[in-house]
Amino acid sequence: MYSYDLNRPLRVGTRRSALAKAQTHAVIDQLLQLQPQLQIQIIEIVTTGDKVLDTALSRMPGKGVFVKEIEDKLLENEIDIAVHSMKDLPTEFPAGLKIGAITERVDPRDVFVTHFKKNLEEMPAGAKIGTSSLRRKSQLLTLRPDFEIIAIRGNIDTRLRKAESEEYDGIVLAAAGLTRMGWQHRIQQYLNYDLMIPAVGQGAVGVEIRENDHETESLLKPLNHQLTEIAVIAERTFLAAMGGGCQTPMGGFCEINGGQMIFHAFVAEEDGSHFRKEKVAGRIEEARAVAEKVALVLKENS
């Protein structure tokens, strides 16, 4: 049985954005509730995705543009844990790293923010909608082919400011970010899964550790939320089976109700064409198998 040495500060790596720090502090608060004597040192790390703001995420080379520099610090033993949005993590981990805990998911849906006080379906023809996601773009154009989709980058408060400018009529982003920042009042519309399927891992936070750091693993174990872990692993199984990432418009979400689950997924072209969508139910124990089945069906129908 391993136990964490409370005389050793826990070095926590995070991105520098306000949202990343908010979710990092949420993880720290949970740890301190369990171990009030724990010493914490927060280390802010700027990632490629934070530095390069003039290029669409789908056009950036490589994977993990919001996590690589943080993972490097973890491998170099400069931090002990790395707090990530699970949707930012590639399906394969660098050798020597793994997830130590996935905390309870907050609302995984996407939301619409606009100064028009109208829902997406009510927006005027040709409305200019901002998003940085090919997944959102393709689903928006399937719903409303008349929309003009405009790329938008930057942290959450920057995007919200742009949503209130004349440059955009509205933006689509994750409910989780606004929830963690306490900005739910900015939301015009929550987009249910029939309107927009979320990104794999959206709304969930993962804590990454070194594989051989058993003391830290034991410290984090109580933070792991089993149902969230089951859902996120199924979603990541789907993504790996599809062989996709941010360069391919697709979404996968495992909805769990009691002992049952429904896997929602789609894949399409960037302009919304060749849109294929699946929704398959099963028992919670079958989540990964259902996810693999959905991926197989979507690939066969491509």
PDB file of all heavy atoms in Angstrom, residues 111-125:
ATOM      1  N   VAL A 111     -23.005  24.927 -26.080  1.00  0.00           N
ATOM      2  CA  VAL A 111     -23.992  25.976 -25.858  1.00  0.00           C
ATOM      3  C   VAL A 111     -23.839  27.061 -26.923  1.00  0.00           C
ATOM      4  O   VAL A 111     -22.786  27.206 -27.543  1.00  0.00           O
ATOM      5  CB  VAL A 111     -23.869  26.605 -24.454  1.00  0.00           C
ATOM      6  CG1 VAL A 111     -24.187  25.583 -23.375  1.00  0.00           C
ATOM      7  CG2 VAL A 111     -22.488  27.219 -24.238  1.00  0.00           C
ATOM      8  N   PHE A 112     -24.913  27.829 -27.091  1.00  0.00           N
ATOM      9  CA  PHE A 112     -24.922  28.955 -28.019  1.00  0.00           C
ATOM     10  C   PHE A 112     -24.999  30.248 -27.221  1.00  0.00           C
ATOM     11  O   PHE A 112     -25.839  30.390 -26.332  1.00  0.00           O
ATOM     12  CB  PHE A 112     -26.123  28.830 -28.963  1.00  0.00           C
ATOM     13  CG  PHE A 112     -26.222  29.916 -29.999  1.00  0.00           C
ATOM     14  CD1 PHE A 112     -25.134  30.241 -30.795  1.00  0.00           C
ATOM     15  CD2 PHE A 112     -27.412  30.605 -30.193  1.00  0.00           C
ATOM     16  CE1 PHE A 112     -25.217  31.235 -31.762  1.00  0.00           C
ATOM     17  CE2 PHE A 112     -27.515  31.588 -31.160  1.00  0.00           C
ATOM     18  CZ  PHE A 112     -26.411  31.910 -31.941  1.00  0.00           C
ATOM     19  N   VAL A 113     -24.076  31.162 -27.526  1.00  0.00           N
ATOM     20  CA  VAL A 113     -24.041  32.477 -26.879  1.00  0.00           C
ATOM     21  C   VAL A 113     -24.232  33.533 -27.960  1.00  0.00           C
ATOM     22  O   VAL A 113     -23.535  33.512 -28.979  1.00  0.00           O
ATOM     23  CB  VAL A 113     -22.698  32.703 -26.147  1.00  0.00           C
ATOM     24  CG1 VAL A 113     -22.623  34.112 -25.574  1.00  0.00           C
ATOM     25  CG2 VAL A 113     -22.517  31.666 -25.039  1.00  0.00           C
ATOM     26  N   THR A 114     -25.177  34.440 -27.758  1.00  0.00           N
ATOM     27  CA  THR A 114     -25.459  35.452 -28.765  1.00  0.00           C
ATOM     28  C   THR A 114     -26.064  36.689 -28.115  1.00  0.00           C
ATOM     29  O   THR A 114     -26.713  36.590 -27.068  1.00  0.00           O
ATOM     30  CB  THR A 114     -26.441  34.910 -29.832  1.00  0.00           C
ATOM     31  OG1 THR A 114     -26.761  35.950 -30.758  1.00  0.00           O
ATOM     32  CG2 THR A 114     -27.727  34.395 -29.204  1.00  0.00           C
ATOM     33  N   HIS A 115     -25.850  37.834 -28.752  1.00  0.00           N
ATOM     34  CA  HIS A 115     -26.481  39.054 -28.268  1.00  0.00           C
ATOM     35  C   HIS A 115     -27.854  39.265 -28.912  1.00  0.00           C
ATOM     36  O   HIS A 115     -28.540  40.237 -28.618  1.00  0.00           O
ATOM     37  CB  HIS A 115     -25.590  40.278 -28.540  1.00  0.00           C
ATOM     38  CG  HIS A 115     -25.124  40.406 -29.955  1.00  0.00           C
ATOM     39  ND1 HIS A 115     -23.974  39.806 -30.408  1.00  0.00           N
ATOM     40  CD2 HIS A 115     -25.659  41.044 -31.026  1.00  0.00           C
ATOM     41  CE1 HIS A 115     -23.801  40.093 -31.692  1.00  0.00           C
ATOM     42  NE2 HIS A 115     -24.818  40.839 -32.096  1.00  0.00           N
ATOM     43  N   PHE A 116     -28.264  38.328 -29.770  1.00  0.00           N
ATOM     44  CA  PHE A 116     -29.567  38.445 -30.437  1.00  0.00           C
ATOM     45  C   PHE A 116     -30.723  37.963 -29.558  1.00  0.00           C
ATOM     46  O   PHE A 116     -31.881  38.196 -29.872  1.00  0.00           O
ATOM     47  CB  PHE A 116     -29.571  37.609 -31.732  1.00  0.00           C
ATOM     48  CG  PHE A 116     -29.096  38.361 -32.936  1.00  0.00           C
ATOM     49  CD1 PHE A 116     -27.737  38.497 -33.183  1.00  0.00           C
ATOM     50  CD2 PHE A 116     -29.990  38.925 -33.831  1.00  0.00           C
ATOM     51  CE1 PHE A 116     -27.292  39.186 -34.295  1.00  0.00           C
ATOM     52  CE2 PHE A 116     -29.556  39.617 -34.948  1.00  0.00           C
ATOM     53  CZ  PHE A 116     -28.192  39.752 -35.185  1.00  0.00           C
ATOM     54  N   LYS A 117     -30.402  37.212 -28.473  1.00  0.00           N
ATOM     55  CA  LYS A 117     -31.446  36.633 -27.616  1.00  0.00           C
ATOM     56  C   LYS A 117     -32.358  35.692 -28.405  1.00  0.00           C
ATOM     57  O   LYS A 117     -33.563  35.622 -28.178  1.00  0.00           O
ATOM     58  CB  LYS A 117     -32.289  37.729 -26.934  1.00  0.00           C
ATOM     59  CG  LYS A 117     -31.485  38.738 -26.148  1.00  0.00           C
ATOM     60  CD  LYS A 117     -30.660  38.062 -25.049  1.00  0.00           C
ATOM     61  CE  LYS A 117     -29.848  39.096 -24.262  1.00  0.00           C
ATOM     62  NZ  LYS A 117     -28.927  38.447 -23.301  1.00  0.00           N
ATOM     63  N   LYS A 118     -31.756  34.985 -29.353  1.00  0.00           N
ATOM     64  CA  LYS A 118     -32.476  33.994 -30.143  1.00  0.00           C
ATOM     65  C   LYS A 118     -31.726  32.669 -30.086  1.00  0.00           C
ATOM     66  O   LYS A 118     -30.496  32.654 -29.974  1.00  0.00           O
ATOM     67  CB  LYS A 118     -32.589  34.430 -31.614  1.00  0.00           C
ATOM     68  CG  LYS A 118     -33.430  35.675 -31.878  1.00  0.00           C
ATOM     69  CD  LYS A 118     -33.388  36.025 -33.367  1.00  0.00           C
ATOM     70  CE  LYS A 118     -34.134  37.311 -33.664  1.00  0.00           C
ATOM     71  NZ  LYS A 118     -35.591  37.156 -33.525  1.00  0.00           N
ATOM     72  N   ASN A 119     -32.463  31.572 -30.199  1.00  0.00           N
ATOM     73  CA  ASN A 119     -31.834  30.272 -30.307  1.00  0.00           C
ATOM     74  C   ASN A 119     -31.292  30.062 -31.722  1.00  0.00           C
ATOM     75  O   ASN A 119     -31.638  30.799 -32.648  1.00  0.00           O
ATOM     76  CB  ASN A 119     -32.822  29.165 -29.956  1.00  0.00           C
ATOM     77  CG  ASN A 119     -33.155  29.145 -28.470  1.00  0.00           C
ATOM     78  OD1 ASN A 119     -32.505  29.831 -27.662  1.00  0.00           O
ATOM     79  ND2 ASN A 119     -34.158  28.377 -28.098  1.00  0.00           N
ATOM     80  N   LEU A 120     -30.446  29.042 -31.886  1.00  0.00           N
ATOM     81  CA  LEU A 120     -29.820  28.792 -33.190  1.00  0.00           C
ATOM     82  C   LEU A 120     -30.849  28.702 -34.311  1.00  0.00           C
ATOM     83  O   LEU A 120     -30.671  29.288 -35.379  1.00  0.00           O
ATOM     84  CB  LEU A 120     -29.023  27.483 -33.139  1.00  0.00           C
ATOM     85  CG  LEU A 120     -27.546  27.532 -32.766  1.00  0.00           C
ATOM     86  CD1 LEU A 120     -26.997  26.125 -32.683  1.00  0.00           C
ATOM     87  CD2 LEU A 120     -26.748  28.371 -33.755  1.00  0.00           C
ATOM     88  N   GLU A 121     -31.932  27.969 -34.058  1.00  0.00           N
ATOM     89  CA  GLU A 121     -32.928  27.752 -35.105  1.00  0.00           C
ATOM     90  C   GLU A 121     -33.639  29.045 -35.496  1.00  0.00           C
ATOM     91  O   GLU A 121     -34.228  29.130 -36.580  1.00  0.00           O
ATOM     92  CB  GLU A 121     -33.965  26.717 -34.642  1.00  0.00           C
ATOM     93  CG  GLU A 121     -33.356  25.390 -34.195  1.00  0.00           C
ATOM     94  CD  GLU A 121     -33.093  25.328 -32.699  1.00  0.00           C
ATOM     95  OE1 GLU A 121     -32.552  26.308 -32.134  1.00  0.00           O
ATOM     96  OE2 GLU A 121     -33.435  24.288 -32.104  1.00  0.00           O
ATOM     97  N   GLU A 122     -33.598  30.040 -34.613  1.00  0.00           N
ATOM     98  CA  GLU A 122     -34.321  31.293 -34.844  1.00  0.00           C
ATOM     99  C   GLU A 122     -33.438  32.395 -35.430  1.00  0.00           C
ATOM    100  O   GLU A 122     -33.930  33.476 -35.740  1.00  0.00           O
ATOM    101  CB  GLU A 122     -34.918  31.789 -33.522  1.00  0.00           C
ATOM    102  CG  GLU A 122     -35.826  30.791 -32.830  1.00  0.00           C
ATOM    103  CD  GLU A 122     -36.082  31.125 -31.370  1.00  0.00           C
ATOM    104  OE1 GLU A 122     -35.217  31.782 -30.738  1.00  0.00           O
ATOM    105  OE2 GLU A 122     -37.144  30.734 -30.871  1.00  0.00           O
ATOM    106  N   MET A 123     -32.148  32.111 -35.577  1.00  0.00           N
ATOM    107  CA  MET A 123     -31.237  33.146 -36.055  1.00  0.00           C
ATOM    108  C   MET A 123     -31.539  33.516 -37.504  1.00  0.00           C
ATOM    109  O   MET A 123     -31.997  32.681 -38.291  1.00  0.00           O
ATOM    110  CB  MET A 123     -29.790  32.665 -35.927  1.00  0.00           C
ATOM    111  CG  MET A 123     -29.309  32.530 -34.488  1.00  0.00           C
ATOM    112  SD  MET A 123     -29.243  34.107 -33.601  1.00  0.00           S
ATOM    113  CE  MET A 123     -27.794  34.853 -34.372  1.00  0.00           C
ATOM    114  N   PRO A 124     -31.272  34.779 -37.890  1.00  0.00           N
ATOM    115  CA  PRO A 124     -31.556  35.208 -39.264  1.00  0.00           C
ATOM    116  C   PRO A 124     -30.685  34.478 -40.278  1.00  0.00           C
ATOM    117  O   PRO A 124     -29.597  33.992 -39.959  1.00  0.00           O
ATOM    118  CB  PRO A 124     -31.250  36.704 -39.235  1.00  0.00           C
ATOM    119  CG  PRO A 124     -30.334  36.900 -38.073  1.00  0.00           C
ATOM    120  CD  PRO A 124     -30.739  35.878 -37.063  1.00  0.00           C
ATOM    121  N   ALA A 125     -31.157  34.416 -41.501  1.00  0.00           N
ATOM    122  CA  ALA A 125     -30.391  33.778 -42.579  1.00  0.00           C
ATOM    123  C   ALA A 125     -29.039  34.474 -42.735  1.00  0.00           C
ATOM    124  O   ALA A 125     -28.935  35.688 -42.651  1.00  0.00           O
ATOM    125  CB  ALA A 125     -31.172  33.850 -43.885  1.00  0.00           C
TER     126      ALA A 125
END
